[in-house]
Amino acid sequence: MRLRSGVFASSCLLVQALGVALFLRGFFPVPVRSVPRREARADPPAEPAPPGPGMVSNWTKIPPPLFKKVVIVLIDALRDDFVFGPKGKQFMPYTTQVVEKGTSYSFIAEAKPPTVTMPRIKALMTGSIPGFIDVVVNLNSPALLDDNLIWQAKTAGKRIIFYGDDTWVKLFPKHFVEYDGTTSFFVSDFTEVDDNVTRHLDRVLKREDWDLLILHYLGLDHIGHMTGPNSPLVGPKLREMDNILKKIHISLISKEEASLPNLLVVCGDHGMSETGSHGGSSEGEVHTPLLFISSAFGKRSAPPAQPEHVQQTDLASTLAIGLGLPISRNSVGNLILPVVGGKTMREQLRFVHLNGFQLSRLLQENTPAYEKDPGYEHFKIAEKSHGNWIKLYLEGNNSEILLNLGKKVLKQYLEALKTLSSSLSRQVAQYDMYSMMVGTVIIMEVLILLLLSVPKALSKRAEFEVPLSPPLFSLLFYLMCLMLCAVHVIVCTSAESLCYFCSMSWLTAVGVMMLISALMCGILSAVAKILENYRLPPKNPVASSYSWSEIDVLILAGTIGHVLSLGASSFIEEEHQTWYFLINTLCLVLCQELCRNNFLLKECDPQHSTNVKQNFDSIEESSECKNIDIPAASNSKLGKATSSSEFMKGSDKWISLATPWIILICCRLLRSLNQTGVQWAHRPDFGHWLTSFEHKSELSFLAAVSLLMIFVLVQRRCSLVSKIAMALGLLGVYSYRSAIGNVTFPWQHGGKDISKGITEARFVYVFVLGIVFTGTKDLLKSQVISADSSTKSTGLWEVYSGLVLLAALLFRPHNLPVLVFCLLIQTMMTKYIWIPLKFDAAQITIMHYWFGQAFFYFQGNSNGIATVDISAGFVGLDSYVEIPAIFLTAFATYAGPFLWAVHLLCYLSSEVRRNSAAVGHGCFCYALMRSIPVAIYVVLVTGLRYHLFIWSVFSPKLLYEGVHVFITAAVCLFFTTMDQNHSYKVQD
């Protein structure tokens, strides 16, 4: 069966996407779990038995609650410096007074990555460390089935009321006697989302029919996403939160009874980075304040020292003790001792013993050699000492010895708790190695098959024979299927832990085994064909010789260097530096190539002169990338250089020579726009300067100029209708940004109400769809009715123009210059570099890929989840709609690589004199360039799965790589659809 390069590459990438999905499912592990929730309410352990006959403790039940009512106020994205720093003193005076001189305990709670809402709520309520894959399901939170504080409270008969983020309602369905959920993903809403919570307060605080009240405020998080932590909107929001805390605190104090005090807990689920996002592991994202405010605590006479650091998971254990509930079975948190420090020594020892017993039981259920664990040994020693203390206590010993021994036992318990928690946190998840291995095999087989197919895929015909039924490989195929099925049976029947691949149906598993076998047979067939051709003498020795140019050497060295850099965490954190270096080096090599062609090789063959001059004339009369015919240029650098030196006359010659330097200047300006990565992300950049409130006029001017430049650069190849639609759409983009308060019109003078801009954004969407529809109509016409290359070229460019308009709408105003420079560089390289130097499709494809990667980082993206701009997913939406939100967020994040890929298709398809196999070559090279790093990276990540930075550095990068594979597969399918030249008009 004969396959074209594009079809083959798209098929391989789809198969690789399957392997990546299977690897991701195995790599992002399922956290260790104790017994099912329905079995979690076992009898609590009694106090350690005192030594000696006839002595028995009478404390065998869960201790009674320490607080009557508990109010938890969770302020989304509340950083620790918003309470304990200068902002807290300025905007939260009441809270600051309570912290410094009131009856409270304050801590800094450390959250584990990923710092997104749903995993953090799980950590707060279960005390466990959620799996990293929870960031993926954050948009659609399923019900939480693990043992947790909310379930324990409901089972104990406590009445729970909740108002706020509807993630809680999804995680804990039917647990609240009253609730009002608000969507957490409409990030342009700063006020209504909090007003919907506060409007219930006055009524519910007067009532007595509740035991636990949970309030989750989202406004601060939304402000961070839209404008950052230094926005002028942050101060008023903190002041609003301070007034709410004051109201709750005063109400709780006024309703206290002599028997039991009330408790107010103030916390954040995560912080926010310097750009206002979250999800990563920077200090601003993982450090949140944790306040316990109650009349049960002693009043301070002096301001406290720096708040002590605790783990976010410690809250679940502490609240369980405070409410008189069993500690969640899966909790790895420790009791925060100062909260119960006012109780008697016997009660304190009872609390820490319950915590230690729960942690040691969790360790036993997940570690075969638990008895050798230092934490378990420390706990048994402390438990024995506790028994001795109880013996003295029951004997009525009230001397100093009893007090000192109690303090010693308490210290032993705390050390044991710390060690147990550390041991459990290290092994909190198990990798599904079998699923990972199957996925890795598929990914590597696809890569090897692509590499072996390079000579045929990049030939003039861009097609090759795929052997399906040679007798030897047919036999080998069945033998491999049988062997793999046998391995599957053995692994699945002997596996101690749950394996995702084993949980699949047998039909699916056998299908995967057949796929692996078929890929292996294809690899062996390709190797045999290469060896066979190697033994035969070449038909045309002159034609088969190929000399490597500087561009070829750079492409090979750059690809290898980038792939090797993925093995180091520092290079992953600062990967943008790698791509900046590569494109800068590429520009210098292009400059050298242009200088050589224009100055060093003046003499040329007169036979070439006329042809090349005519080619350049055709370039001048139209800017539609109708390039010279690549087959007309030999592989000889002399021929290419000679041709170039002929037509580069006058101003075009000097513009061509200046183009690499202009591109270098553009790239340098873009680097100053957005600081990204980790090491220098905190440094001020031009983007921060523009987005500050006092520079709104400068931002407005820059946005207006950028939108005008976008129109100038895009409209040149559009039809009249599309030009008008583009102009109106770009005007709508500015109107949208003005409506939400990012920019202003010249005639506006402050005081304008900020809206959600839904009408303006939908106005732009109409023109986006109109332009894309017009382009699609031309494409269908060229594919079905008439094979007209000009119609096809126009249709592709209009689709591209519609995508540019969509990107302009989704990009934040200060990022619009990124889009301008993207279009400018594409225009200049097309006219003054790619056409004159007559690069082949493979070289042009790799240049597009490199610039696409660089522009991914020019946008301000990084390999951390915190830089994903989720606000783009809600432009023009008045409520959360999952599929559009995911699509818009993904497009805004990967706009750089996506736009460069679509431009590549426009460029290759519009060159009527280029070899008709160029699109197939481009599709194959693009798939290969994406396949190489993802295949090597999954191998590296597997080997580094116990690395210190596996969750904070390597795992987010793996998610980015996985999503990029799926996007590239979609792009390659589009390439294949446009590559309808079934019979290539080339000479063998």
Side-chain angles (χ1 to χ4, degrees):
M1 182 178 72
R2 299 187 72 83
L3 282 181
R4 290 175 292 139
S5 296
V7 175
F8 177 74
S10 300
S11 302
C12 285
L13 214 54
L14 287 174
V15 173
Q16 191 170 60
L18 171 66
V20 169
L22 191 57
F23 180 87
L24 290 175
R25 181 59 180 80
F27 180 82
F28 291 108
V30 179
V32 295
R33 289 290 180 257
S34 184
V35 297
R37 189 170 70 179
R38 61 181 179 274
E39 304 173 22
R41 290 190 66 84
D43 292 332
E47 278 186 317
M55 300 193 70
V56 179
S57 170
N58 59 352
W59 283 21
T60 59
K61 297 182 178 180
I62 292 290
L66 307 180
F67 306 100
K68 181 182 180 183
K69 291 181 182 294
V70 175
V71 179
I72 301 174
V73 180
L74 193 156
I75 303 174
D76 212 293
L78 184 66
R79 300 201 322 189
D80 61 323
D81 59 332
F82 285 175
V83 175
F84 303 128
K87 279 191 174 72
K89 288 182 170 60
Q90 181 180 358
F91 299 113
M92 304 186 75
Y94 184 80
T95 305
T96 301
Q97 180 185 358
V98 171
V99 166
E100 293 182 349
K101 298 182 180 179
T103 55
S104 67
Y105 287 106
S106 55
F107 304 92
I108 294 177
E110 182 179 340
K112 299 292 184 185
T115 47
V116 292
T117 296
M118 192 268 284
R120 295 300 97 221
I121 294 175
K122 285 186 177 181
L124 288 167
M125 293 297 105
T126 65
S128 62
I129 301 177
F132 200 93
I133 198 62
D134 281 320
V135 71
V136 178
V137 297
N138 187 49
L139 295 177
N140 187 21
S141 311
L144 181 60
L145 301 178
D146 299 332
D147 184 18
N148 60 80
L149 183 74
I150 302 295
W151 180 78
Q152 291 283 5
K154 180 178 180 291
T155 307
K158 295 190 180 294
R159 296 155 297 179
I160 313 170
I161 295 177
F162 170 77
Y163 305 117
D165 184 355
D166 62 357
T167 303
W168 290 76
V169 181
K170 297 174 184 177
L171 287 173
F172 309 106
K174 302 180 181 179
H175 284 65
F176 306 119
V177 296
E178 183 180 318
Y179 65 88
D180 183 9
T182 58
T183 180
S184 58
F185 296 107
F186 193 60
V187 294
S188 60
D189 178 11
F190 306 152
T191 54
E192 289 182 20
V193 73
D194 286 345
D195 292 343
N196 285 336
V197 178
T198 307
R199 65 192 176 95
H200 299 283
L201 264 185
D202 291 332
R203 176 176 52 84
V204 79
L205 289 175
K206 295 176 183 177
R207 290 160 44 186
E208 296 291 336
D209 60 342
W210 56 271
D211 303 293
L212 177 60
L213 173 63
I214 303 173
L215 308 172
H216 188 153
Y217 285 94
L218 291 162
L220 182 64
D221 178 67
H222 291 184
I223 290 173
H225 280 297
M226 294 298 292
T227 59
N230 299 315
S231 165
L233 299 174
V234 169
K237 179 57 67 174
L238 291 177
R239 189 176 289 110
E240 176 189 344
M241 295 295 103
D242 189 56
N243 292 331
I244 290 168
L245 294 175
K246 179 179 180 180
K247 177 187 293 187
I248 296 172
H249 187 212
I250 293 174
S251 176
L252 290 178
I253 292 175
S254 65
K255 289 183 174 298
E256 278 188 356
E257 299 175 358
S259 56
L260 282 178
N262 297 323
L263 174 67
L264 170 61
V265 180
V266 183
C267 61
D269 54 346
H270 52 75
M272 67 172 71
S273 66
E274 288 304 314
T275 61
S277 297
H278 54 88
S281 56
S282 68
E283 185 173 317
E285 294 168 84
V286 300
H287 286 169
T288 63
L290 177 59
L291 309 179
F292 295 90
I293 304 171
S294 175
S295 60
F297 309 142
K299 198 167 186 178
R300 281 193 192 86
S301 56
Q306 185 68 20
E308 180 185 348
H309 283 249
V310 297
Q311 294 299 312
Q312 196 179 57
T313 51
D314 296 342
L315 180 64
S317 303
T318 306
L319 285 181
I321 295 296
L323 289 168
L325 303 171
I327 299 174
S328 301
R329 291 288 293 265
N330 301 318
S331 172
V332 297
N334 296 341
L335 173 67
I336 301 175
L337 193 63
V339 177
V340 298
K343 298 299 176 181
T344 65
M345 180 60 70
R346 186 180 184 185
E347 288 176 308
Q348 292 185 53
L349 291 176
R350 173 64 169 156
F351 297 150
V352 292
H353 176 254
L354 287 171
N355 195 184
F357 182 85
Q358 172 264 325
L359 290 172
S360 63
R361 182 174 54 188
L362 185 62
L363 185 73
Q364 292 177 44
E365 293 169 351
N366 291 280
T367 306
Y370 66 90
E371 293 179 345
K372 298 180 181 179
D373 186 90
Y376 186 82
E377 293 175 351
H378 292 164
F379 174 70
K380 286 301 178 183
I381 293 172
E383 199 173 40
K384 186 176 180 180
S385 301
H386 189 183
N388 293 329
W389 185 91
I390 292 174
K391 179 182 178 181
L392 290 175
Y393 180 84
L394 294 177
E395 288 175 350
N397 190 331
N398 293 319
S399 64
E400 192 73 19
I401 297 175
L402 184 67
L403 179 62
N404 291 334
L405 180 60
K407 292 180 179 178
K408 178 183 175 182
V409 175
L410 195 61
K411 186 177 180 180
Q412 288 177 335
Y413 268 131
L414 292 177
E415 184 66 30
L417 293 180
K418 184 177 179 181
T419 311
L420 281 169
S421 180
S422 177
S423 299
L424 286 165
S425 298
R426 283 196 303 268
Q427 57 175 328
V428 73
Q430 298 174 349
Y431 294 102
D432 181 357
M433 288 303 299
Y434 183 45
S435 299
M436 288 170 61
M437 289 298 105
V438 174
T440 303
V441 168
I442 295 175
I443 294 168
M444 293 305 297
E445 283 183 333
V446 169
L447 174 61
I448 294 171
L449 195 56
L450 286 171
L451 290 173
L452 293 174
S453 305
V454 168
K456 285 289 185 182
L458 298 183
S459 64
K460 289 183 178 180
R461 288 192 176 275
E463 60 181 16
F464 44 87
E465 187 72 30
V466 178
L468 293 180
S469 58
L472 176 62
F473 294 125
S474 178
L475 176 61
L476 178 63
F477 173 77
Y478 290 118
L479 287 175
M480 288 191 64
C481 283
L482 289 174
M483 183 184 70
L484 292 174
C485 288
V487 171
H488 182 70
V489 172
I490 293 171
V491 171
C492 294
T493 54
S494 61
E496 296 181 359
S497 59
L498 180 64
C499 171
Y500 174 73
F501 191 56
C502 291
S503 66
M504 290 182 173
S505 66
W506 272 99
L507 186 62
T508 305
V510 170
V512 173
M513 300 304 172
M514 292 176 67
L515 175 63
I516 294 174
S517 303
L519 290 171
M520 182 58 68
C521 290
I523 290 171
L524 295 176
S525 175
V527 171
K529 191 71 174 176
I530 291 172
L531 293 176
E532 180 183 343
N533 294 336
Y534 181 75
R535 295 191 189 98
L536 298 175
K539 295 179 181 179
N540 189 353
V542 177
S544 63
S545 62
Y546 180 82
S547 61
W548 284 63
S549 67
E550 288 88 346
I551 292 290
D552 298 324
V553 174
L554 173 62
I555 286 172
L556 180 63
T559 301
I560 294 174
H562 168 252
V563 169
L564 293 178
S565 72
L566 298 178
S569 60
S570 297
F571 276 95
I572 292 176
E573 289 177 337
E574 308 298 324
E575 188 182 357
H576 60 286
Q577 302 284 8
T578 303
W579 289 111
Y580 296 166
F581 172 79
L582 288 178
I583 62 170
N584 290 344
T585 309
L586 175 63
C587 288
L588 294 177
V589 172
L590 291 173
C591 183
Q592 179 195 17
E593 189 79 9
L594 289 166
C595 290
R596 178 193 292 121
N597 296 339
N598 284 280
F599 297 116
L600 300 183
L601 300 170
K602 292 292 185 182
E603 296 182 4
C604 65
D605 184 2
Q607 182 179 346
H608 268 97
S609 177
T610 305
N611 293 335
V612 177
K613 184 71 173 67
Q614 291 174 353
N615 290 336
F616 187 66
D617 291 341
S618 67
I619 298 170
E620 286 297 311
E621 69 186 21
S622 172
S623 61
E624 295 185 0
C625 307
K626 295 184 178 178
N627 197 9
I628 44 189
D629 190 11
I630 289 300
S634 67
N635 285 330
S636 170
K637 287 188 288 183
L638 179 61
K640 184 188 295 186
T642 304
S643 303
S644 300
S645 63
E646 275 298 309
F647 61 73
M648 298 305 285
K649 302 291 185 181
S651 61
D652 290 300
K653 170 184 175 180
W654 297 109
I655 294 175
S656 177
L657 290 170
T659 294
W661 300 102
I662 295 174
I663 294 172
L664 283 172
I665 293 172
C666 292
C667 292
R668 185 62 189 87
L669 292 174
L670 289 173
R671 290 184 64 174
S672 302
L673 185 63
N674 292 304
Q675 288 284 0
T676 185
V678 174
Q679 300 297 329
W680 295 279
H682 63 282
R683 292 187 176 181
D685 51 39
F686 191 49
H688 280 95
W689 184 85
L690 284 171
T691 53
S692 60
F693 185 76
E694 57 270 20
H695 298 125
K696 183 180 284 190
S697 59
E698 289 88 344
L699 178 61
S700 302
F701 176 76
L702 180 65
V705 172
S706 298
L707 292 172
L708 180 62
M709 287 294 297
I710 290 171
F711 176 75
V712 171
L713 292 168
V714 169
Q715 57 83 31
R716 56 195 173 90
R717 292 172 58 189
C718 294
S719 63
L720 178 61
V721 174
S722 295
K723 287 180 181 180
I724 296 172
M726 176 63 69
L728 293 175
L730 292 173
L731 181 61
V733 170
Y734 193 90
S735 300
Y736 165 73
R737 289 297 169 184
S738 175
I740 64 174
N742 295 143
V743 298
T744 59
F745 283 103
W747 54 84
Q748 290 176 352
H749 301 285
K752 180 181 181 295
D753 293 335
I754 296 176
S755 70
K756 299 175 184 178
I758 295 174
T759 303
E760 292 85 351
R762 290 178 178 176
F763 176 79
V764 179
Y765 283 138
V766 170
F767 291 111
V768 171
L769 294 175
I771 295 172
V772 172
F773 175 78
T774 303
T776 305
K777 181 191 67 175
D778 290 340
L779 290 176
L780 292 175
K781 181 180 177 181
S782 68
Q783 300 286 84
V784 178
I785 301 175
S786 62
D788 183 6
S789 59
S790 63
T791 304
K792 178 180 178 180
S793 174
T794 303
L796 279 171
W797 187 260
E798 290 190 333
V799 170
Y800 176 69
S801 303
L803 295 175
V804 169
L805 178 57
L806 178 61
L809 174 64
L810 300 182
F811 276 20
R812 297 198 182 196
H814 76 278
N815 259 349
L816 287 174
V818 176
L819 200 53
V820 173
F821 284 129
C822 174
L823 296 169
L824 180 63
I825 292 172
Q826 289 171 354
T827 302
M828 297 193 70
M829 292 193 76
T830 296
K831 186 172 181 179
Y832 297 109
I833 294 181
W834 292 326
I835 293 178
L837 294 182
K838 295 197 288 188
F839 289 116
D840 59 42
Q843 292 170 323
I844 292 174
T845 299
I846 295 172
M847 291 184 205
H848 273 83
Y849 178 82
W850 280 19
F851 272 97
Q853 292 298 105
F855 270 85
F856 174 81
Y857 295 104
F858 283 145
Q859 291 176 230
N861 292 321
S862 71
N863 287 325
I865 297 172
T867 53
V868 176
D869 182 14
I870 65 169
S871 65
F874 306 92
V875 174
L877 302 180
D878 54 3
S879 62
Y880 173 60
V881 186
E882 186 171 2
I883 294 178
I886 292 174
F887 169 77
L888 293 174
T889 303
F891 179 81
T893 303
Y894 290 92
F898 193 77
L899 289 177
W900 277 89
V902 177
H903 181 270
L904 171 66
L905 180 58
C906 294
Y907 175 78
L908 295 178
S909 298
S910 61
E911 291 190 291
V912 294
R913 301 186 184 184
R914 182 179 286 274
N915 189 327
S916 56
V919 175
H921 291 168
C923 181
F924 182 86
C925 288
Y926 201 80
L928 182 62
M929 291 301 295
R930 184 88 296 271
S931 180
I932 292 173
V934 75
I936 302 302
Y937 191 66
V938 297
V939 175
L940 291 172
V941 165
T942 302
L944 297 170
R945 63 188 180 277
Y946 296 115
H947 192 280
L948 180 63
F949 301 130
I950 187 63
W951 298 120
S952 58
V953 178
F954 292 98
S955 294
K957 171 64 175 174
L958 183 61
L959 282 177
Y960 275 109
E961 289 292 317
V963 174
H964 204 169
V965 167
F966 291 109
I967 292 175
T968 306
V971 169
C972 287
L973 285 174
F974 189 43
F975 268 69
T976 305
T977 306
M978 294 298 102
D979 185 21
Q980 292 298 326
N981 299 301
H982 293 277
S983 57
Y984 295 117
K985 301 175 182 178
V986 293
Q987 300 296 323
D988 290 331

Short mmCIF file of all heavy atoms in Angstrom, two decimals, residues 99-101 299-305:
data_model
loop_
_atom_site.label_atom_id
_atom_site.label_comp_id
_atom_site.label_asym_id
_atom_site.label_seq_id
_atom_site.Cartn_x
_atom_site.Cartn_y
_atom_site.Cartn_z
N VAL A 99 -4.46 39.49 64.85
CA VAL A 99 -3.25 38.67 64.75
C VAL A 99 -2.20 39.11 65.76
O VAL A 99 -1.55 38.29 66.42
CB VAL A 99 -2.69 38.72 63.31
CG1 VAL A 99 -1.27 38.17 63.26
CG2 VAL A 99 -3.59 37.94 62.36
N GLU A 100 -2.03 40.43 65.90
CA GLU A 100 -0.95 40.94 66.74
C GLU A 100 -1.30 40.98 68.22
O GLU A 100 -0.44 40.72 69.06
CB GLU A 100 -0.58 42.35 66.27
CG GLU A 100 0.07 42.36 64.89
CD GLU A 100 0.48 43.76 64.46
OE1 GLU A 100 0.08 44.73 65.15
OE2 GLU A 100 1.19 43.88 63.45
N LYS A 101 -2.56 41.28 68.56
CA LYS A 101 -2.89 41.45 69.98
C LYS A 101 -4.12 40.69 70.42
O LYS A 101 -4.51 40.75 71.58
CB LYS A 101 -3.10 42.94 70.29
CG LYS A 101 -1.86 43.78 70.05
CD LYS A 101 -2.09 45.24 70.41
CE LYS A 101 -0.84 46.08 70.17
NZ LYS A 101 -1.06 47.50 70.50
N LYS A 299 -5.01 35.93 75.25
CA LYS A 299 -4.78 37.20 74.56
C LYS A 299 -3.31 37.58 74.66
O LYS A 299 -2.69 37.41 75.71
CB LYS A 299 -5.67 38.29 75.17
CG LYS A 299 -5.83 39.50 74.28
CD LYS A 299 -6.95 40.39 74.78
CE LYS A 299 -7.20 41.52 73.80
NZ LYS A 299 -8.32 42.39 74.24
N ARG A 300 -2.77 38.10 73.55
CA ARG A 300 -1.35 38.47 73.54
C ARG A 300 -1.15 39.86 74.11
O ARG A 300 -1.96 40.75 73.94
CB ARG A 300 -0.82 38.45 72.09
CG ARG A 300 -0.52 37.08 71.60
CD ARG A 300 0.28 37.16 70.30
NE ARG A 300 0.32 35.84 69.70
CZ ARG A 300 -0.61 35.37 68.91
NH1 ARG A 300 -1.66 36.12 68.64
NH2 ARG A 300 -0.53 34.17 68.41
N SER A 301 0.00 40.02 74.71
CA SER A 301 0.38 41.35 75.21
C SER A 301 1.34 42.03 74.26
O SER A 301 1.52 43.25 74.32
CB SER A 301 1.03 41.23 76.60
OG SER A 301 2.15 40.35 76.52
N ALA A 302 2.00 41.24 73.39
CA ALA A 302 2.97 41.80 72.45
C ALA A 302 2.75 41.17 71.09
O ALA A 302 2.21 40.06 70.98
CB ALA A 302 4.40 41.53 72.95
N PRO A 303 3.16 41.84 70.03
CA PRO A 303 3.02 41.26 68.69
C PRO A 303 3.79 39.95 68.59
O PRO A 303 4.87 39.80 69.17
CB PRO A 303 3.62 42.33 67.77
CG PRO A 303 3.56 43.60 68.55
CD PRO A 303 3.72 43.20 69.98
N PRO A 304 3.25 38.97 67.84
CA PRO A 304 3.92 37.68 67.73
C PRO A 304 5.15 37.77 66.83
O PRO A 304 5.32 38.73 66.07
CB PRO A 304 2.85 36.80 67.08
CG PRO A 304 2.03 37.76 66.27
CD PRO A 304 2.03 39.05 67.04
N ALA A 305 6.00 36.79 66.95
CA ALA A 305 7.15 36.70 66.07
C ALA A 305 6.68 36.27 64.68
O ALA A 305 5.48 36.17 64.42
CB ALA A 305 8.15 35.70 66.64
#
